[in-house]
Amino acid sequence: MIIGVPTEVKDNEFRVGLTPGNVSGLVAQGHAVLIQRGAGQQIGLTDELYRSAGASLVESATEVYAKSQLVVKVKEPQPQECAMLREDQILFTYLHLAPDPLQTKALLSSGSSCIAYETVTSRAGTLPLLAPMSEVAGRMSIQAAASQMEKTHGGPGILLAGIPGVAAAKVVILGAGVVGRNALQMAVGIGADVCIIDKDLDRLRQIDAAYGNRVRTYYSDPLSIEREVCAADVVIGAVLLPGGAAPKLVSASMVAKMKPGAVVVDVAIDQGGCFETSRPTTHSDPSYLVDGVIHYCVANMPGAVARTSTFGLTNATYPFVEALANRGLVAALNHDVHLRNGLNVHRGQLASEPVASAQQLDFIPAVELLAA
């Protein structure tokens, strides 16, 4: 199979879909790999490293898309990339389609088969291709909040950890999944006053067992959320519904009651965000104010630590790339139900129920689409 890796084009996105090590593994199995020149240059993965691993270097994304049977990316394709997809092509990347009807329409129109990293599952019921970036984003959320709290960045001038005689900042984490637990680890390590809110009592018990009275745990209900959010210095939005739009747990009226200068970091922004006042931002313009509350809603947070993120992501995605290359689309998806769960779009048809529900569209289950 011919596998192509274009340079990412999203704002300040320096991750890359395959590492030189991945390339060498694919080439050893008889596949051809096309890498757009400079795709990994910004994170030390030079063209020479890819060439030495057996890749062919091409000048443009147009050439990558024109010649590849399987395109492996990191972020969702931008409009100009959607326009280059074709009917006999496989796209393997993050998609986050639920809050993005324009991208959904473009992918359906392309006729290509699009597999979303974020909906591939595992035997344990987890999301193995989302987890590495959730780990990164969760840890980065506390770094981002700490930076936004500084007066020089427009914040209230509060140190998350406090000092002897001065109270630490209050950090509220909505969601105890992978993002929430990684944010929790960083916040506790810094020395902040932390609470975490979730509906999963088993997760809350695990957190209590690990952290004891260093962390307050609350069962999620509207009153608990409002009480804690309105008293917080920092709120981390870390709620995920696999493949679907994130629930709006914090209303605009609730944001209006928050402390002036409080910081919201909405890690769920890829799926629409869990604050009613959230809208996607970029690394070059990361934050904005609503009712005096700072909103940090960067949709590709792990892109800021692109080298760590690239290796963390490709460690997880490579076995699936290998399966698609070795077996072909239909055989690979029929062989592995977990990879099949990642199929969102196939030859002009929507295969994802959560996306269909979010956008009020019809869908056909992947099993039926592949059988046809």
Side-chain angles (χ1 to χ4, degrees):
M1 186 175 283
I2 302 172
I3 302 150
V5 179
T7 301
E8 296 293 324
V9 295
K10 197 161 186 175
D11 178 69
N12 281 289
E13 181 55 75
F14 304 114
R15 288 174 288 182
V16 62
L18 293 174
T19 66
N22 301 149
V23 171
S24 66
L26 291 166
V27 170
Q29 296 174 74
H31 305 294
V33 182
L34 307 180
I35 303 287
Q36 186 179 349
R37 288 187 185 276
Q41 193 75 34
Q42 296 291 329
I43 56 172
L45 301 180
T46 64
D47 290 347
E48 183 54 39
L49 286 173
Y50 281 110
R51 185 185 293 108
S52 297
S56 298
L57 299 174
V58 300
E59 295 297 331
S60 67
T62 302
E63 191 173 355
V64 171
Y65 282 91
K67 294 181 177 180
S68 301
Q69 297 164 285
L70 167 62
V71 176
V72 180
K73 279 176 43 60
V74 178
K75 287 305 292 179
E76 70 279 0
Q78 302 303 293
Q80 67 270 31
E81 295 176 298
C82 292
M84 290 187 278
L85 290 166
R86 62 176 190 270
E87 188 171 330
D88 59 344
Q89 209 161 39
I90 307 165
L91 174 66
F92 193 32
T93 188
Y94 287 117
L95 294 177
H96 301 292
L97 290 180
D100 193 348
L102 292 179
Q103 186 198 169
T104 303
K105 182 178 179 180
L107 295 182
L108 289 169
S109 297
S110 75
S112 61
S113 298
C114 306
I115 303 170
Y117 291 163
E118 72 273 10
T119 59
V120 173
T121 55
S122 73
R123 291 179 182 177
T126 60
L127 303 172
L129 307 190
L130 189 61
M133 297 305 92
S134 295
E135 290 167 346
V136 171
R139 296 182 184 205
M140 286 189 68
S141 68
I142 301 302
Q143 292 181 197
S147 175
Q148 294 295 312
M149 294 284 280
E150 295 173 11
K151 197 67 181 174
T152 50
H153 290 166
I158 295 174
L159 181 67
L160 286 189
I163 58 172
V166 181
K170 181 174 181 179
V171 175
V172 175
I173 301 170
L174 302 177
V178 177
V179 170
R181 293 196 303 273
N182 277 272
L184 177 68
Q185 181 181 340
M186 294 294 287
V188 171
I190 285 175
D193 174 5
V194 189
C195 83
I196 190 164
I197 301 175
D198 199 278
K199 285 190 172 182
D200 190 326
L201 289 176
D202 287 334
R203 285 181 181 172
L204 296 181
R205 289 187 182 104
Q206 291 166 5
I207 290 167
D208 183 72
Y211 294 98
N213 60 11
R214 289 181 293 168
V215 174
R216 289 170 288 114
T217 60
Y218 296 105
Y219 183 80
S220 181
D221 63 55
L223 289 179
S224 295
I225 291 172
E226 181 167 6
R227 181 188 66 240
E228 296 303 316
V229 164
C230 291
D233 298 298
V234 171
V235 184
I236 307 295
V239 179
L240 172 72
L241 295 180
K248 303 296 185 186
L249 296 183
V250 180
S251 66
S253 62
M254 205 182 299
V255 169
K257 298 176 186 176
M258 291 177 67
K259 294 179 180 179
V263 173
V264 162
V265 180
D266 197 344
V267 187
I269 193 64
D270 273 327
Q271 297 294 128
C274 55
F275 297 79
E276 191 176 11
T277 48
S278 290
R279 57 176 172 80
T281 61
T282 64
H283 287 290
S284 56
D285 188 15
S287 61
Y288 60 92
L289 283 174
V290 176
D291 291 324
V293 175
I294 300 166
H295 288 57
Y296 181 99
C297 304
V298 175
N300 59 329
M301 286 177 64
V305 288
R307 186 177 175 91
T308 296
S309 296
T310 291
F311 283 94
L313 177 61
T314 57
N315 287 345
T317 58
Y318 178 73
F320 296 101
V321 174
E322 197 175 59
L324 288 166
N326 289 340
R327 294 177 180 271
L329 176 72
V330 175
L333 297 189
N334 283 332
H335 176 76
D336 185 350
V337 63
H338 300 295
L339 182 56
R340 188 167 68 237
N341 288 337
L343 186 67
N344 279 213
V345 172
H346 180 61
R347 297 183 179 177
Q349 299 288 339
L350 189 61
S352 169
E353 184 174 8
V355 174
S357 177
Q359 298 185 23
Q360 298 182 328
L361 298 174
D362 294 328
F363 83 102
I364 300 174
V367 172
E368 295 179 26
L369 284 175
L370 295 171

